């Protein structure tokens, strides 16, 4: 283990915390409030933001779509540049927060914002951001990552930069009350896979990272089993905080990480609009089976410490079955058939996208090469 670690995002957690933005954003700053398709207007969040910003000068930009596109976000970049915006308040789920990160970075760059995603422009500064989270899932509210889609070419790419990490994040579990079931389940699954991507690699002896990852996985398993209690303050608060901790940098610090499930899953979203979390559930069980020898030690550890399974020669295999059963218990599919073409063609399309993005060797051992990916897709698709 060798690392430098900081998470600079101030967290305001709990009911009624949206009012805290009145103090968190200096009233001298001109603010752009960015939000999505309008859910915040139906659940009172917009009204709370308006009330908290009554002493501020602010304008708004709405219409950031799920899986936010560069095409939409560039309109907000223009507003930031033309109206001298000094602070961005992102109010929404991962898409709105990721989109705001792109806007914040692109606004400080004269070229095309997509250069940031392609690595042609290295971000050094960004308009400061604050986040009001309305959907616990991605951890975007207190991390430095963002995933953006270019609709024109169906590219979905990520960038990471400390300049775009939110200065503060407001997490009021009450905002989850209006979440559709589908999104609530997506949150559980996405957070689960985030922990897995940083945990199911190889045994590391990093007791803090592994132990905390197991705690987060056990939390998510319990929340899934207690799904009928979802209309309960403690259930909501526990999901919101667990999903945040799953991807705020801590459990991945100083240990190997995988992320191949995410990289392959992103292509399903870009090609067929599969919800992010659901793309992960489609890819992950097939990927784990494909890589079972390399991941055996960690899967056995997960089997014992998370699922409470007894030691056996096939413990790793049984652990993958448990993971799959967890998804099925939430009615989340682990295979995909909605590709509107032949299976062969669908696999070719995913592979072409991965190749064009340079994802030729994924996973903690760079062992998920294109032939391995084809095997994974062969069993992930019906
Ligand atoms: O647009 P609105 O009207 O707000 O509706 C949204 C959207 O339709 C709705 N919603 C959000 N909060 C709500 C609500 N509806 C009712 N009540 C509320 N309180 O939910 C829908 C989905 O929202 P979205 O933000 O797209 O979901 P999520 O938070 O799952 O974000 C997914 C995006 O994050 C990226 C994904 O790739 C995807 O683009 N990711 C970002 C990561 C990061 N920054 O670290 C990591 C993740 O692995 C992920 O890749
Ligand atoms: Zn994810």
């Amino acid at each position: 283990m060798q690392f430098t670690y900081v998470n600079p995002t101030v967290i305001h957690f709990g009911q009624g915390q949206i009012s805290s933005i009145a103090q968190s954003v200096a009233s001298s700053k001109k603010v752009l409030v960015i939000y999505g398709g309008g859910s915040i207007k139906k659940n009172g969040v917009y009204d709370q933001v308006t009330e908290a910003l009554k002493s501020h000068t602010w304008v708004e930009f709405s219409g950031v779509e799920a899986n936010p596109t560069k095409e939409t976000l560039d309109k907000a970049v223009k507003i930031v540049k033309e109206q001298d915006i000094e602070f961005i308040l992102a109010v929404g789920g991962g898409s709105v927060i990721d989109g705001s990160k792109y806007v914040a970075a692109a606004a400080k760059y004269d070229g095309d914002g997509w250069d940031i995603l392609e690595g042609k422009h290295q971000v050094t500064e960004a308009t400061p951001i604050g986040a009001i989270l309305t959907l616990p899932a991605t951890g975007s509210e207190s991390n430095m990552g963002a995933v953006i889609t270019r609709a024109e070419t169906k590219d979905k790419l990520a960038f990471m930069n400390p300049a775009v990490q939110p200065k503060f994040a407001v997490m009021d579990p009450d905002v989850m009350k209006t979440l559709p079931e589908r999104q609530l389940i997506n949150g559980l699954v996405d957070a689960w896979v985030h922990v897995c991507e940083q945990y199911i690699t190889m045994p590391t002896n990093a007791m803090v990272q592994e132990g905390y990852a197991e705690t987060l996985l056990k939390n998510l398993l319990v929340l899934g089993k207690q799904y009928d209690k979802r209309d309960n303050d403690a259930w909501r608060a526990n999901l919101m905080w667990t999903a945040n901790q799953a991807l705020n940098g801590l459990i991945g610090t100083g240990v190997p990480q995988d992320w191949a499930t995410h990289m392959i899953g992103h292509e399903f979203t870009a090609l067929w609009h599969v919800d992010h979390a659901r793309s992960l559930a489609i890819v992950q069980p097939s990927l784990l089976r494909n890589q079972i020898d390399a991941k055996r030690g960690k899967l056995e550890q997960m089997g014992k410490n998370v699922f409470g399974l007894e030691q056996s020669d096939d413990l790793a295999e049984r652990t993958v079955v448990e993971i799959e059963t967890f998804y099925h218990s939430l009615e989340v599919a682990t295979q995909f058939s909605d590709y509107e073409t032949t299976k062969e063609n669908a696999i070719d399309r995913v592979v072409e996208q991965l190749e064009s993005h340079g994802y030729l060797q994924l996973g903690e051992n760079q062992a998920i090469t294109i032939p391995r990916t084809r095997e994974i897709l062969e069993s992930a698709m019906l």
Side-chain angles (χ1 to χ4, degrees), residues 36-39 43 66-68 93-95 98 134-135 137-138 140 143 145-147 156 175 178-180 183 190 194 247 262 266 276:
S39 68
N43 60 12
N67 306 304
S95 294
D98 283 7
T134 65
L135 195 175
T138 62
S140 185
N143 70 34
V147 189
K156 185 173 167 84
V175 304
T178 52
L179 273 173
Q183 299 300 342
D190 193 22
H194 292 160
L247 196 50
H262 268 72
H266 284 167
H276 171 63

PDB file of all heavy atoms in Angstrom, residues 36-39 43 66-68 93-95 98 134-135 137-138 140 143 145-147 156 175 178-180 183 190 194 247 262 266 276, ligand 1:
ATOM      1  N   GLY A  36     -32.217  18.267 -14.306  1.00  0.00           N
ATOM      2  CA  GLY A  36     -32.539  17.316 -15.366  1.00  0.00           C
ATOM      3  C   GLY A  36     -33.888  17.571 -16.006  1.00  0.00           C
ATOM      4  O   GLY A  36     -34.250  18.698 -16.358  1.00  0.00           O
ATOM      5  N   GLY A  37     -34.684  16.504 -16.093  1.00  0.00           N
ATOM      6  CA  GLY A  37     -35.929  16.572 -16.843  1.00  0.00           C
ATOM      7  C   GLY A  37     -37.109  17.107 -16.065  1.00  0.00           C
ATOM      8  O   GLY A  37     -38.229  17.138 -16.574  1.00  0.00           O
ATOM      9  N   GLY A  38     -36.912  17.507 -14.822  1.00  0.00           N
ATOM     10  CA  GLY A  38     -37.999  18.163 -14.108  1.00  0.00           C
ATOM     11  C   GLY A  38     -38.491  17.461 -12.858  1.00  0.00           C
ATOM     12  O   GLY A  38     -39.408  17.949 -12.196  1.00  0.00           O
ATOM     13  N   SER A  39     -37.883  16.311 -12.488  1.00  0.00           N
ATOM     14  CA  SER A  39     -38.351  15.638 -11.264  1.00  0.00           C
ATOM     15  C   SER A  39     -38.237  16.571 -10.057  1.00  0.00           C
ATOM     16  O   SER A  39     -39.071  16.522  -9.151  1.00  0.00           O
ATOM     17  CB  SER A  39     -37.569  14.339 -11.012  1.00  0.00           C
ATOM     18  OG  SER A  39     -36.230  14.616 -10.692  1.00  0.00           O
ATOM     19  N   ASN A  43     -41.092  17.330  -6.703  1.00  0.00           N
ATOM     20  CA  ASN A  43     -40.910  16.800  -5.338  1.00  0.00           C
ATOM     21  C   ASN A  43     -40.474  17.849  -4.320  1.00  0.00           C
ATOM     22  O   ASN A  43     -40.057  17.513  -3.211  1.00  0.00           O
ATOM     23  CB  ASN A  43     -39.921  15.622  -5.344  1.00  0.00           C
ATOM     24  CG  ASN A  43     -38.554  16.015  -5.868  1.00  0.00           C
ATOM     25  OD1 ASN A  43     -38.258  17.195  -6.022  1.00  0.00           O
ATOM     26  ND2 ASN A  43     -37.722  15.029  -6.131  1.00  0.00           N
ATOM     27  N   ALA A  66     -30.777  11.688 -18.778  1.00  0.00           N
ATOM     28  CA  ALA A  66     -30.077  10.534 -18.194  1.00  0.00           C
ATOM     29  C   ALA A  66     -29.014  10.130 -19.211  1.00  0.00           C
ATOM     30  O   ALA A  66     -29.275  10.123 -20.423  1.00  0.00           O
ATOM     31  CB  ALA A  66     -31.063   9.404 -17.961  1.00  0.00           C
ATOM     32  N   ASN A  67     -27.811   9.797 -18.740  1.00  0.00           N
ATOM     33  CA  ASN A  67     -26.657   9.588 -19.622  1.00  0.00           C
ATOM     34  C   ASN A  67     -26.432  10.884 -20.421  1.00  0.00           C
ATOM     35  O   ASN A  67     -26.713  10.963 -21.614  1.00  0.00           O
ATOM     36  CB  ASN A  67     -26.858   8.389 -20.554  1.00  0.00           C
ATOM     37  CG  ASN A  67     -27.215   7.146 -19.760  1.00  0.00           C
ATOM     38  OD1 ASN A  67     -26.478   6.757 -18.873  1.00  0.00           O
ATOM     39  ND2 ASN A  67     -28.369   6.563 -20.040  1.00  0.00           N
ATOM     40  N   PRO A  68     -25.949  11.897 -19.731  1.00  0.00           N
ATOM     41  CA  PRO A  68     -25.930  13.260 -20.291  1.00  0.00           C
ATOM     42  C   PRO A  68     -25.086  13.368 -21.550  1.00  0.00           C
ATOM     43  O   PRO A  68     -24.037  12.744 -21.661  1.00  0.00           O
ATOM     44  CB  PRO A  68     -25.313  14.082 -19.158  1.00  0.00           C
ATOM     45  CG  PRO A  68     -24.488  13.109 -18.384  1.00  0.00           C
ATOM     46  CD  PRO A  68     -25.240  11.823 -18.446  1.00  0.00           C
ATOM     47  N   GLY A  93     -29.382  13.516 -10.097  1.00  0.00           N
ATOM     48  CA  GLY A  93     -28.658  12.260  -9.928  1.00  0.00           C
ATOM     49  C   GLY A  93     -27.286  12.334 -10.580  1.00  0.00           C
ATOM     50  O   GLY A  93     -26.778  13.427 -10.874  1.00  0.00           O
ATOM     51  N   GLY A  94     -26.711  11.163 -10.823  1.00  0.00           N
ATOM     52  CA  GLY A  94     -25.364  11.107 -11.388  1.00  0.00           C
ATOM     53  C   GLY A  94     -25.267  11.832 -12.721  1.00  0.00           C
ATOM     54  O   GLY A  94     -24.250  12.469 -13.016  1.00  0.00           O
ATOM     55  N   SER A  95     -26.318  11.761 -13.517  1.00  0.00           N
ATOM     56  CA  SER A  95     -26.249  12.389 -14.842  1.00  0.00           C
ATOM     57  C   SER A  95     -26.107  13.901 -14.739  1.00  0.00           C
ATOM     58  O   SER A  95     -25.300  14.506 -15.450  1.00  0.00           O
ATOM     59  CB  SER A  95     -27.497  12.035 -15.654  1.00  0.00           C
ATOM     60  OG  SER A  95     -27.495  10.653 -15.929  1.00  0.00           O
ATOM     61  N   ASP A  98     -22.588  14.629 -13.142  1.00  0.00           N
ATOM     62  CA  ASP A  98     -21.527  14.396 -14.147  1.00  0.00           C
ATOM     63  C   ASP A  98     -21.569  15.486 -15.218  1.00  0.00           C
ATOM     64  O   ASP A  98     -20.533  16.027 -15.617  1.00  0.00           O
ATOM     65  CB  ASP A  98     -21.726  13.049 -14.850  1.00  0.00           C
ATOM     66  CG  ASP A  98     -21.298  11.863 -14.000  1.00  0.00           C
ATOM     67  OD1 ASP A  98     -20.977  12.064 -12.815  1.00  0.00           O
ATOM     68  OD2 ASP A  98     -21.285  10.743 -14.538  1.00  0.00           O
ATOM     69  N   THR A 134     -30.121  13.754  -5.701  1.00  0.00           N
ATOM     70  CA  THR A 134     -31.513  13.298  -5.617  1.00  0.00           C
ATOM     71  C   THR A 134     -31.653  11.799  -5.885  1.00  0.00           C
ATOM     72  O   THR A 134     -32.754  11.263  -5.781  1.00  0.00           O
ATOM     73  CB  THR A 134     -32.415  14.057  -6.620  1.00  0.00           C
ATOM     74  OG1 THR A 134     -32.006  13.734  -7.957  1.00  0.00           O
ATOM     75  CG2 THR A 134     -32.349  15.563  -6.418  1.00  0.00           C
ATOM     76  N   LEU A 135     -30.554  11.134  -6.241  1.00  0.00           N
ATOM     77  CA  LEU A 135     -30.621   9.702  -6.559  1.00  0.00           C
ATOM     78  C   LEU A 135     -29.317   9.043  -6.099  1.00  0.00           C
ATOM     79  O   LEU A 135     -28.267   9.277  -6.712  1.00  0.00           O
ATOM     80  CB  LEU A 135     -30.798   9.531  -8.083  1.00  0.00           C
ATOM     81  CG  LEU A 135     -31.225   8.193  -8.671  1.00  0.00           C
ATOM     82  CD1 LEU A 135     -31.451   8.307 -10.174  1.00  0.00           C
ATOM     83  CD2 LEU A 135     -30.321   7.035  -8.360  1.00  0.00           C
ATOM     84  N   ALA A 137     -26.556   6.543  -6.031  1.00  0.00           N
ATOM     85  CA  ALA A 137     -26.120   5.465  -6.932  1.00  0.00           C
ATOM     86  C   ALA A 137     -24.651   5.604  -7.300  1.00  0.00           C
ATOM     87  O   ALA A 137     -23.835   4.721  -7.011  1.00  0.00           O
ATOM     88  CB  ALA A 137     -26.962   5.451  -8.214  1.00  0.00           C
ATOM     89  N   THR A 138     -24.318   6.718  -7.929  1.00  0.00           N
ATOM     90  CA  THR A 138     -23.022   6.820  -8.601  1.00  0.00           C
ATOM     91  C   THR A 138     -21.868   7.259  -7.706  1.00  0.00           C
ATOM     92  O   THR A 138     -20.708   7.000  -8.030  1.00  0.00           O
ATOM     93  CB  THR A 138     -23.094   7.849  -9.743  1.00  0.00           C
ATOM     94  OG1 THR A 138     -23.408   9.131  -9.173  1.00  0.00           O
ATOM     95  CG2 THR A 138     -24.176   7.487 -10.748  1.00  0.00           C
ATOM     96  N   SER A 140     -21.073  10.237  -7.572  1.00  0.00           N
ATOM     97  CA  SER A 140     -20.547  11.415  -8.286  1.00  0.00           C
ATOM     98  C   SER A 140     -20.536  12.668  -7.413  1.00  0.00           C
ATOM     99  O   SER A 140     -19.712  13.563  -7.620  1.00  0.00           O
ATOM    100  CB  SER A 140     -21.382  11.656  -9.551  1.00  0.00           C
ATOM    101  OG  SER A 140     -20.839  12.695 -10.317  1.00  0.00           O
ATOM    102  N   ASN A 143     -17.029  12.570  -5.779  1.00  0.00           N
ATOM    103  CA  ASN A 143     -15.823  12.049  -6.434  1.00  0.00           C
ATOM    104  C   ASN A 143     -15.445  12.932  -7.623  1.00  0.00           C
ATOM    105  O   ASN A 143     -16.125  13.910  -7.910  1.00  0.00           O
ATOM    106  CB  ASN A 143     -15.979  10.566  -6.817  1.00  0.00           C
ATOM    107  CG  ASN A 143     -16.950  10.308  -7.955  1.00  0.00           C
ATOM    108  OD1 ASN A 143     -17.088  11.107  -8.880  1.00  0.00           O
ATOM    109  ND2 ASN A 143     -17.637   9.178  -7.883  1.00  0.00           N
ATOM    110  N   GLY A 145     -15.039  11.935 -10.825  1.00  0.00           N
ATOM    111  CA  GLY A 145     -15.299  11.310 -12.124  1.00  0.00           C
ATOM    112  C   GLY A 145     -16.553  11.850 -12.788  1.00  0.00           C
ATOM    113  O   GLY A 145     -17.462  12.361 -12.132  1.00  0.00           O
ATOM    114  N   ALA A 146     -16.607  11.717 -14.107  1.00  0.00           N
ATOM    115  CA  ALA A 146     -17.815  12.052 -14.868  1.00  0.00           C
ATOM    116  C   ALA A 146     -17.848  11.203 -16.127  1.00  0.00           C
ATOM    117  O   ALA A 146     -16.806  10.919 -16.713  1.00  0.00           O
ATOM    118  CB  ALA A 146     -17.826  13.535 -15.236  1.00  0.00           C
ATOM    119  N   VAL A 147     -19.063  10.788 -16.503  1.00  0.00           N
ATOM    120  CA  VAL A 147     -19.221   9.967 -17.707  1.00  0.00           C
ATOM    121  C   VAL A 147     -20.172  10.713 -18.646  1.00  0.00           C
ATOM    122  O   VAL A 147     -21.300  11.030 -18.273  1.00  0.00           O
ATOM    123  CB  VAL A 147     -19.806   8.578 -17.367  1.00  0.00           C
ATOM    124  CG1 VAL A 147     -19.743   7.664 -18.589  1.00  0.00           C
ATOM    125  CG2 VAL A 147     -19.051   7.931 -16.204  1.00  0.00           C
ATOM    126  N   LYS A 156     -19.557   6.853 -25.207  1.00  0.00           N
ATOM    127  CA  LYS A 156     -19.786   7.179 -23.790  1.00  0.00           C
ATOM    128  C   LYS A 156     -18.439   7.042 -23.100  1.00  0.00           C
ATOM    129  O   LYS A 156     -17.935   5.932 -22.939  1.00  0.00           O
ATOM    130  CB  LYS A 156     -20.823   6.223 -23.190  1.00  0.00           C
ATOM    131  CG  LYS A 156     -21.243   6.548 -21.745  1.00  0.00           C
ATOM    132  CD  LYS A 156     -22.400   5.650 -21.331  1.00  0.00           C
ATOM    133  CE  LYS A 156     -22.691   5.673 -19.837  1.00  0.00           C
ATOM    134  NZ  LYS A 156     -23.539   6.758 -19.384  1.00  0.00           N
ATOM    135  N   VAL A 175     -35.398  13.250  -0.316  1.00  0.00           N
ATOM    136  CA  VAL A 175     -35.594  13.492  -1.759  1.00  0.00           C
ATOM    137  C   VAL A 175     -35.828  12.180  -2.509  1.00  0.00           C
ATOM    138  O   VAL A 175     -36.321  12.169  -3.633  1.00  0.00           O
ATOM    139  CB  VAL A 175     -34.399  14.245  -2.407  1.00  0.00           C
ATOM    140  CG1 VAL A 175     -34.127  15.554  -1.707  1.00  0.00           C
ATOM    141  CG2 VAL A 175     -33.149  13.380  -2.439  1.00  0.00           C
ATOM    142  N   THR A 178     -39.606  10.298  -4.026  1.00  0.00           N
ATOM    143  CA  THR A 178     -40.288  10.305  -5.331  1.00  0.00           C
ATOM    144  C   THR A 178     -39.566   9.459  -6.380  1.00  0.00           C
ATOM    145  O   THR A 178     -39.954   9.461  -7.549  1.00  0.00           O
ATOM    146  CB  THR A 178     -40.407  11.742  -5.874  1.00  0.00           C
ATOM    147  OG1 THR A 178     -39.094  12.336  -5.850  1.00  0.00           O
ATOM    148  CG2 THR A 178     -41.368  12.565  -5.046  1.00  0.00           C
ATOM    149  N   LEU A 179     -38.522   8.762  -5.958  1.00  0.00           N
ATOM    150  CA  LEU A 179     -37.790   7.962  -6.951  1.00  0.00           C
ATOM    151  C   LEU A 179     -38.640   6.800  -7.459  1.00  0.00           C
ATOM    152  O   LEU A 179     -39.193   6.042  -6.656  1.00  0.00           O
ATOM    153  CB  LEU A 179     -36.521   7.386  -6.327  1.00  0.00           C
ATOM    154  CG  LEU A 179     -35.282   8.261  -6.355  1.00  0.00           C
ATOM    155  CD1 LEU A 179     -34.169   7.600  -5.543  1.00  0.00           C
ATOM    156  CD2 LEU A 179     -34.815   8.511  -7.785  1.00  0.00           C
ATOM    157  N   PRO A 180     -38.726   6.614  -8.768  1.00  0.00           N
ATOM    158  CA  PRO A 180     -39.394   5.416  -9.279  1.00  0.00           C
ATOM    159  C   PRO A 180     -38.631   4.168  -8.811  1.00  0.00           C
ATOM    160  O   PRO A 180     -37.420   4.216  -8.626  1.00  0.00           O
ATOM    161  CB  PRO A 180     -39.274   5.564 -10.798  1.00  0.00           C
ATOM    162  CG  PRO A 180     -38.909   6.994 -11.051  1.00  0.00           C
ATOM    163  CD  PRO A 180     -38.204   7.481  -9.817  1.00  0.00           C
ATOM    164  N   GLN A 183     -35.417   3.270 -10.508  1.00  0.00           N
ATOM    165  CA  GLN A 183     -34.217   4.045 -10.190  1.00  0.00           C
ATOM    166  C   GLN A 183     -33.656   3.675  -8.820  1.00  0.00           C
ATOM    167  O   GLN A 183     -32.443   3.691  -8.604  1.00  0.00           O
ATOM    168  CB  GLN A 183     -34.520   5.553 -10.256  1.00  0.00           C
ATOM    169  CG  GLN A 183     -34.971   6.049 -11.617  1.00  0.00           C
ATOM    170  CD  GLN A 183     -33.934   5.808 -12.710  1.00  0.00           C
ATOM    171  OE1 GLN A 183     -32.749   5.582 -12.436  1.00  0.00           O
ATOM    172  NE2 GLN A 183     -34.381   5.816 -13.952  1.00  0.00           N
ATOM    173  N   ASP A 190     -25.929  -0.309  -8.828  1.00  0.00           N
ATOM    174  CA  ASP A 190     -24.740   0.454  -9.234  1.00  0.00           C
ATOM    175  C   ASP A 190     -23.749   0.518  -8.071  1.00  0.00           C
ATOM    176  O   ASP A 190     -22.553   0.258  -8.245  1.00  0.00           O
ATOM    177  CB  ASP A 190     -25.153   1.856  -9.703  1.00  0.00           C
ATOM    178  CG  ASP A 190     -24.038   2.586 -10.438  1.00  0.00           C
ATOM    179  OD1 ASP A 190     -23.113   1.923 -10.958  1.00  0.00           O
ATOM    180  OD2 ASP A 190     -24.091   3.829 -10.513  1.00  0.00           O
ATOM    181  N   HIS A 194     -19.962  -0.931  -7.880  1.00  0.00           N
ATOM    182  CA  HIS A 194     -18.813  -0.062  -7.570  1.00  0.00           C
ATOM    183  C   HIS A 194     -17.912  -0.702  -6.523  1.00  0.00           C
ATOM    184  O   HIS A 194     -16.692  -0.675  -6.635  1.00  0.00           O
ATOM    185  CB  HIS A 194     -19.283   1.315  -7.088  1.00  0.00           C
ATOM    186  CG  HIS A 194     -19.946   2.107  -8.168  1.00  0.00           C
ATOM    187  ND1 HIS A 194     -20.780   3.166  -7.939  1.00  0.00           N
ATOM    188  CD2 HIS A 194     -19.912   1.951  -9.522  1.00  0.00           C
ATOM    189  CE1 HIS A 194     -21.222   3.640  -9.089  1.00  0.00           C
ATOM    190  NE2 HIS A 194     -20.712   2.912 -10.066  1.00  0.00           N
ATOM    191  N   LEU A 247     -18.206   4.822  -3.681  1.00  0.00           N
ATOM    192  CA  LEU A 247     -17.356   5.403  -4.739  1.00  0.00           C
ATOM    193  C   LEU A 247     -16.919   6.820  -4.396  1.00  0.00           C
ATOM    194  O   LEU A 247     -17.075   7.748  -5.169  1.00  0.00           O
ATOM    195  CB  LEU A 247     -18.081   5.339  -6.099  1.00  0.00           C
ATOM    196  CG  LEU A 247     -17.199   5.553  -7.347  1.00  0.00           C
ATOM    197  CD1 LEU A 247     -15.951   4.676  -7.344  1.00  0.00           C
ATOM    198  CD2 LEU A 247     -17.976   5.308  -8.622  1.00  0.00           C
ATOM    199  N   HIS A 262     -17.754  -1.990 -15.938  1.00  0.00           N
ATOM    200  CA  HIS A 262     -18.241  -0.655 -16.295  1.00  0.00           C
ATOM    201  C   HIS A 262     -17.913  -0.296 -17.745  1.00  0.00           C
ATOM    202  O   HIS A 262     -18.750   0.260 -18.458  1.00  0.00           O
ATOM    203  CB  HIS A 262     -17.652   0.396 -15.347  1.00  0.00           C
ATOM    204  CG  HIS A 262     -18.519   0.659 -14.159  1.00  0.00           C
ATOM    205  ND1 HIS A 262     -18.660  -0.252 -13.146  1.00  0.00           N
ATOM    206  CD2 HIS A 262     -19.316   1.717 -13.844  1.00  0.00           C
ATOM    207  CE1 HIS A 262     -19.503   0.252 -12.246  1.00  0.00           C
ATOM    208  NE2 HIS A 262     -19.912   1.436 -12.644  1.00  0.00           N
ATOM    209  N   HIS A 266     -20.836   0.384 -20.320  1.00  0.00           N
ATOM    210  CA  HIS A 266     -21.066   1.708 -20.938  1.00  0.00           C
ATOM    211  C   HIS A 266     -21.417   1.573 -22.418  1.00  0.00           C
ATOM    212  O   HIS A 266     -22.204   2.364 -22.955  1.00  0.00           O
ATOM    213  CB  HIS A 266     -19.823   2.591 -20.789  1.00  0.00           C
ATOM    214  CG  HIS A 266     -19.653   3.145 -19.406  1.00  0.00           C
ATOM    215  ND1 HIS A 266     -18.498   3.743 -18.975  1.00  0.00           N
ATOM    216  CD2 HIS A 266     -20.505   3.192 -18.346  1.00  0.00           C
ATOM    217  CE1 HIS A 266     -18.642   4.145 -17.721  1.00  0.00           C
ATOM    218  NE2 HIS A 266     -19.853   3.816 -17.316  1.00  0.00           N
ATOM    219  N   HIS A 276     -27.675   2.468 -16.822  1.00  0.00           N
ATOM    220  CA  HIS A 276     -26.294   2.178 -16.416  1.00  0.00           C
ATOM    221  C   HIS A 276     -26.196   0.948 -15.503  1.00  0.00           C
ATOM    222  O   HIS A 276     -25.450   0.011 -15.785  1.00  0.00           O
ATOM    223  CB  HIS A 276     -25.684   3.407 -15.737  1.00  0.00           C
ATOM    224  CG  HIS A 276     -24.373   3.129 -15.102  1.00  0.00           C
ATOM    225  ND1 HIS A 276     -23.269   2.745 -15.829  1.00  0.00           N
ATOM    226  CD2 HIS A 276     -23.990   3.098 -13.796  1.00  0.00           C
ATOM    227  CE1 HIS A 276     -22.256   2.530 -15.007  1.00  0.00           C
ATOM    228  NE2 HIS A 276     -22.666   2.729 -13.768  1.00  0.00           N
TER     229      HIS A 276
HETATM  230  O1  LIG B   1     -33.975  14.121 -15.038  1.00  0.00           O
HETATM  231  P1  LIG B   1     -34.887  14.025 -13.888  1.00  0.00           P
HETATM  232  O2  LIG B   1     -36.237  14.562 -14.149  1.00  0.00           O
HETATM  233  O3  LIG B   1     -34.293  14.565 -12.629  1.00  0.00           O
HETATM  234  O4  LIG B   1     -35.162  12.433 -13.659  1.00  0.00           O
HETATM  235  C1  LIG B   1     -34.153  11.518 -13.283  1.00  0.00           C
HETATM  236  C2  LIG B   1     -33.777  10.566 -14.404  1.00  0.00           C
HETATM  237  O5  LIG B   1     -34.846  10.371 -15.275  1.00  0.00           O
HETATM  238  C3  LIG B   1     -34.721  10.597 -12.246  1.00  0.00           C
HETATM  239  N1  LIG B   1     -34.606  11.104 -10.871  1.00  0.00           N
HETATM  240  C4  LIG B   1     -33.482  11.497 -10.228  1.00  0.00           C
HETATM  241  N2  LIG B   1     -33.774  11.835  -8.953  1.00  0.00           N
HETATM  242  C5  LIG B   1     -35.109  11.683  -8.802  1.00  0.00           C
HETATM  243  C6  LIG B   1     -35.643  11.220 -10.029  1.00  0.00           C
HETATM  244  N3  LIG B   1     -36.959  10.975 -10.205  1.00  0.00           N
HETATM  245  C7  LIG B   1     -37.774  11.184  -9.145  1.00  0.00           C
HETATM  246  N4  LIG B   1     -37.329  11.586  -7.930  1.00  0.00           N
HETATM  247  C8  LIG B   1     -36.005  11.853  -7.710  1.00  0.00           C
HETATM  248  N5  LIG B   1     -35.575  12.217  -6.501  1.00  0.00           N
HETATM  249  O6  LIG B   1     -33.942   9.415 -12.363  1.00  0.00           O
HETATM  250  C9  LIG B   1     -33.561   9.241 -13.705  1.00  0.00           C
HETATM  251  C10 LIG B   1     -32.129   8.756 -13.772  1.00  0.00           C
HETATM  252  O7  LIG B   1     -31.239   9.732 -13.277  1.00  0.00           O
HETATM  253  P2  LIG B   1     -29.668   9.618 -13.530  1.00  0.00           P
HETATM  254  O8  LIG B   1     -29.030  10.816 -12.941  1.00  0.00           O
HETATM  255  O9  LIG B   1     -29.424   9.327 -14.969  1.00  0.00           O
HETATM  256  O10 LIG B   1     -29.278   8.303 -12.719  1.00  0.00           O
HETATM  257  P3  LIG B   1     -27.948   7.889 -11.994  1.00  0.00           P
HETATM  258  O11 LIG B   1     -27.754   8.650 -10.742  1.00  0.00           O
HETATM  259  O12 LIG B   1     -28.011   6.421 -11.926  1.00  0.00           O
HETATM  260  O13 LIG B   1     -26.766   8.346 -12.983  1.00  0.00           O
HETATM  261  C11 LIG B   1     -26.366   7.576 -14.076  1.00  0.00           C
HETATM  262  C12 LIG B   1     -25.219   8.244 -14.807  1.00  0.00           C
HETATM  263  O14 LIG B   1     -24.037   8.313 -13.986  1.00  0.00           O
HETATM  264  C13 LIG B   1     -22.930   7.723 -14.663  1.00  0.00           C
HETATM  265  C14 LIG B   1     -23.600   6.706 -15.552  1.00  0.00           C
HETATM  266  O15 LIG B   1     -22.772   6.265 -16.597  1.00  0.00           O
HETATM  267  C15 LIG B   1     -24.812   7.448 -16.043  1.00  0.00           C
HETATM  268  O16 LIG B   1     -24.469   8.302 -17.114  1.00  0.00           O
HETATM  269  N6  LIG B   1     -21.940   7.229 -13.699  1.00  0.00           N
HETATM  270  C16 LIG B   1     -21.184   8.141 -13.044  1.00  0.00           C
HETATM  271  C17 LIG B   1     -20.191   7.782 -12.158  1.00  0.00           C
HETATM  272  C18 LIG B   1     -19.352   8.780 -11.469  1.00  0.00           C
HETATM  273  N7  LIG B   1     -19.457  10.049 -11.780  1.00  0.00           N
HETATM  274  O17 LIG B   1     -18.558   8.441 -10.606  1.00  0.00           O
HETATM  275  C19 LIG B   1     -19.877   6.381 -11.899  1.00  0.00           C
HETATM  276  C20 LIG B   1     -20.950   5.450 -12.335  1.00  0.00           C
HETATM  277  O18 LIG B   1     -20.389   4.183 -12.484  1.00  0.00           O
HETATM  278  C21 LIG B   1     -21.665   5.827 -13.576  1.00  0.00           C
HETATM  279  O19 LIG B   1     -20.938   5.409 -14.736  1.00  0.00           O
END
